[in-house]
Amino acid sequence: MRKFVEETHAQFTRWMLHLRREPFSLAFNLLNPVILLVFMGSAFQGMARSSLGSDYRGYLLPGILALTAFGNSMAGGIPLLFDRENGSLMRLMSAPISRASIILSRFLAVNVSTMLQSLLILVLGIAFGVRIATGIGGVLALLGVGLLLGFGITAISLMLAFRFENHGDFFAVIGLTSLPLTFLSSAFVPIESLPAWMRAVALINPMTYAIDAMRALILTGWNPQALGTMAAVLVLFDAAMLWLGSRVIGRHLA
Amino acid sequence: MSAPLVRIDGLKKSFGDVVALAGISLQAHAGKIFGLLGPNGAGKSTTVKILAGLIVADSGSVEIAGRDVFKEPAAARAAIGYVPQEVTVDPYLTAREHLDFYASLYHLPETVRETRIREALALVGLVGQEQRRARRLSGGTKKKLDLACGLLHRPPVILLDEPSLGLDVQVRHDVWNHVLELKRQGAAIFLCTNYMDEAERLCDEIAIIDRGGIVAEGAPEELKGRLNRDIVAVEVAGSNHHHADSAAALERALADLPVVREARREGTRLKVYVEGRETALPLIVETAARAGISVQSITYSRPGLDEVFLHYAGRAFSEGATNGA
């Protein structure tokens, strides 16, 4: 156990050094969320105030937080794919370490990075005048919801890192999923106002449940029903993805 | 000789229909450099990856320092230092951070950690550069850092896959010196290479691998000696118009000499494989004179490992292999 902790810690430290020394990858993921918050938030502010009866930036912020968590988690496997491509992973696997430490360290690093990015977006939202109805406790809860969404998506991404043969395909998948799935959720408009087919997708999109719970935390207050539904759906989603991920990755790391 | 630190027995591996290893058996000993020499695709990398526990063989057994690679993978891995073909340093980490990273992965105790890291830095000549990010190190220095990372835990068995691939001459010699130093320290070094000069210069024992099978094995000198043939290269003189014909005429004339095993013509040059140069040289000169062919130069050489490969594999080394990995 002590050995496993040491192995995981060493690899986690490596990923944290990447995060610190490669700030542009962070900026790359934050680009879309920041553009949406600043430009879309400002553009629709007046129009939405009359129809939604609330501040649109506050309405938008949950969707942007979900997009941030989704995008960062989905990209989380890329460094592992790079390691596979350049032989580093082979080298690592020739060391007498637990295979699980390779995956766990990356998983932890991705989610630490998700949390930092979510915090940045929250600070930006607050700077733009968004008030969090649930206060400081709500900020922590918002980060928690982001992580709960991120866990399952990270599992998918780590799985893809072992399925794809080159990182070009991986980038394509991230581009084709992040923004479209954000639109296919309750991120920008109430789910009831979506066309039927979009609503159908939104209802099976885990982002929707994360967004609904976060929206309640920001706009109205502690809403046990929204939080309960979110927790049930996301825990189920995370468990399913982690189970699938461990099977797929287990085969490749045998 | 002491018990081998690497023992491979009847190792077979196929990838789909392609046979990468057709049942090879090899041994490597402490304080010796064992070279697996063969063209690309002969099965070298497959062998070393099986030794490193990265690929599972179809059949056969592999022991590293007495531990079965397939049954006790963790114990076997702890006894090896594997330095792959590719340079695998992380561009974002400093040299020092790389060594810290591997020190943790190999669970070096705190008491020896600092000493070992210093030793490794000194061994590869990185003292004073330890705080530089790998991104800013030269290609050769990166390779040396890579090497240092694989040696930090002082493994009894070191696996080097093409250690000097793509390196310039100076760095290549540096890397060779490090490898020789490791040998002096008592490690069993298992080295894959497709450079014949590397094999000749470094290895105590060589196995020549071709198409997944070992075609010859022994010390480099012994392998060359076993061929029992020397090479006499004859350059014929004359105008451009005639000398190609002269070489052909000389080839015909020499074919009858009992000392001549084989002759190969390359333009105006004739490569003659002979048995016993003492008698062969004067005979060749005499035969040429009698046939009225004037010789411009005549040189004698001992066979190299390329001749050994040609002899055992039945084709030139540079023709490469067509199957395997």
Side-chain angles (χ1 to χ4, degrees), chain B residues 38-49:
Chain B
N40 290 327
K44 302 187 300 291
S45 280
T46 304
T47 307
V48 81
K49 281 186 177 142

Side-chain angles (χ1 to χ4, degrees), chain A:
Chain A
M1 189 60 194
R2 201 190 58 78
K3 284 188 169 182
F4 181 74
V5 172
E6 190 180 11
E7 290 155 11
T8 309
H9 179 255
Q11 294 174 76
F12 177 76
T13 306
R14 175 189 169 210
W15 297 126
M16 287 296 108
L17 287 169
H18 274 219
L19 192 63
R20 212 167 71 198
R21 291 170 187 174
E22 196 189 21
F24 282 108
S25 75
L26 213 122
F28 184 75
N29 185 52
L30 284 175
L31 190 64
N32 272 334
V34 169
I35 286 175
L36 287 174
L37 184 66
V38 175
F39 297 106
M40 197 168 163
S42 307
F44 289 88
Q45 182 76 336
M47 200 174 80
R49 193 177 288 282
S50 53
S51 62
L52 291 168
S54 68
D55 175 68
Y56 189 59
R57 285 205 194 90
Y59 188 85
L60 198 59
L61 191 57
I64 291 169
L65 284 170
L67 172 64
T68 305
F70 185 98
N72 188 58
S73 304
M74 200 63 194
I78 291 174
L80 275 189
L81 180 53
F82 280 134
D83 273 6
R84 262 184 73 208
E85 285 176 328
N86 69 22
S88 301
L89 188 67
M90 280 284 194
R91 169 113 200 223
L92 211 52
M93 286 172 61
S94 77
I97 59 168
S98 154
R99 305 316 207 207
S101 73
I102 300 173
I103 302 302
L104 181 64
S105 61
R106 184 64 208 155
F107 186 89
L108 291 175
V110 172
N111 287 292
V112 165
S113 155
T114 296
M115 207 159 70
L116 288 175
Q117 294 185 33
S118 303
L119 200 60
L120 275 172
I121 292 290
L122 268 172
V123 168
L124 194 66
I126 291 166
F128 269 91
V130 175
R131 294 280 157 264
I132 314 287
T134 44
I136 290 290
V139 168
L140 293 178
L142 285 166
L143 295 178
V145 178
L147 285 182
L148 219 45
L149 174 66
F151 287 166
I153 309 293
T154 308
I156 295 177
S157 180
L158 296 181
M159 200 162 25
L160 292 179
F162 288 91
R163 297 292 294 179
F164 282 129
E165 288 311 318
N166 72 76
H167 57 268
D169 294 350
F170 208 142
F171 282 115
V173 166
I174 295 164
L176 287 171
T177 52
S178 307
L179 208 49
L181 279 176
T182 311
F183 276 99
L184 291 167
S185 74
S186 56
F188 302 120
V189 292
I191 195 164
E192 300 77 33
S193 61
L194 289 171
W197 73 271
M198 281 176 76
R199 201 182 315 150
V201 179
L203 281 173
I204 54 163
N205 183 352
M207 282 173 103
T208 297
Y209 300 91
I211 291 165
D212 288 350
M214 291 200 273
R215 187 163 287 147
L217 288 167
I218 292 174
L219 295 180
T220 55
W222 298 99
N223 178 338
Q225 200 208 327
L227 289 173
T229 312
M230 175 275 300
V233 170
L234 291 186
V235 165
L236 207 68
F237 169 70
D238 291 347
M241 292 307 119
L242 289 170
W243 175 79
L244 191 67
S246 65
R247 282 183 59 104
V248 170
I249 295 168
R251 259 205 307 275
H252 282 87
L253 284 185

Side-chain angles (χ1 to χ4, degrees), chain B residues 174-196:
Chain B
D174 280 355
V175 168
W176 285 353
N177 287 333
H178 298 321
V179 174
L180 289 168
E181 176 57 32
L182 294 169
K183 169 188 154 171
R184 272 190 289 277
Q185 291 175 8
I189 296 164
F190 192 98
L191 177 147
C192 288
T193 183
N194 65 9
Y195 293 125
M196 274 166 295

Side-chain angles (χ1 to χ4, degrees), chain B residues 37-86:
Chain B
L37 174 71
N40 290 327
K44 302 187 300 291
S45 280
T46 304
T47 307
V48 81
K49 281 186 177 142
I50 291 173
L51 289 175
L54 298 171
I55 304 180
V56 176
D58 297 336
S59 65
S61 71
V62 180
E63 269 179 25
I64 302 262
R67 307 294 192 129
D68 189 306
V69 169
F70 307 126
K71 291 180 190 142
E72 305 168 86
R77 276 193 201 112
I80 59 161
Y82 167 57
V83 184
Q85 233 177 73
E86 307 88 356

Side-chain angles (χ1 to χ4, degrees), chain B residues 210-285:
Chain B
D210 186 39
R211 293 174 176 157
I214 304 295
V215 293
E217 204 180 339
E221 282 312 309
E222 182 195 336
L223 281 172
K224 288 183 284 184
R226 217 188 285 165
L227 280 189
N228 193 22
R229 52 165 73 176
D230 294 318
I231 302 155
V232 178
V234 187
E235 184 88 33
V236 296
S239 70
N240 281 337
H241 189 63
H242 290 296
H243 65 184
D245 295 342
S246 308
L250 182 60
E251 185 182 0
R252 279 193 298 276
L254 292 177
D256 297 331
L257 293 180
V259 290
V260 173
R261 288 259 190 108
E262 194 187 348
R264 285 167 184 249
R265 185 155 43 87
E266 294 157 6
T268 63
R269 204 158 164 269
L270 199 62
K271 217 171 173 184
V272 190
Y273 295 89
V274 299
E275 211 174 309
R277 64 167 166 155
E278 293 78 6
T279 46
L281 273 174
L283 269 174
I284 290 171
V285 174

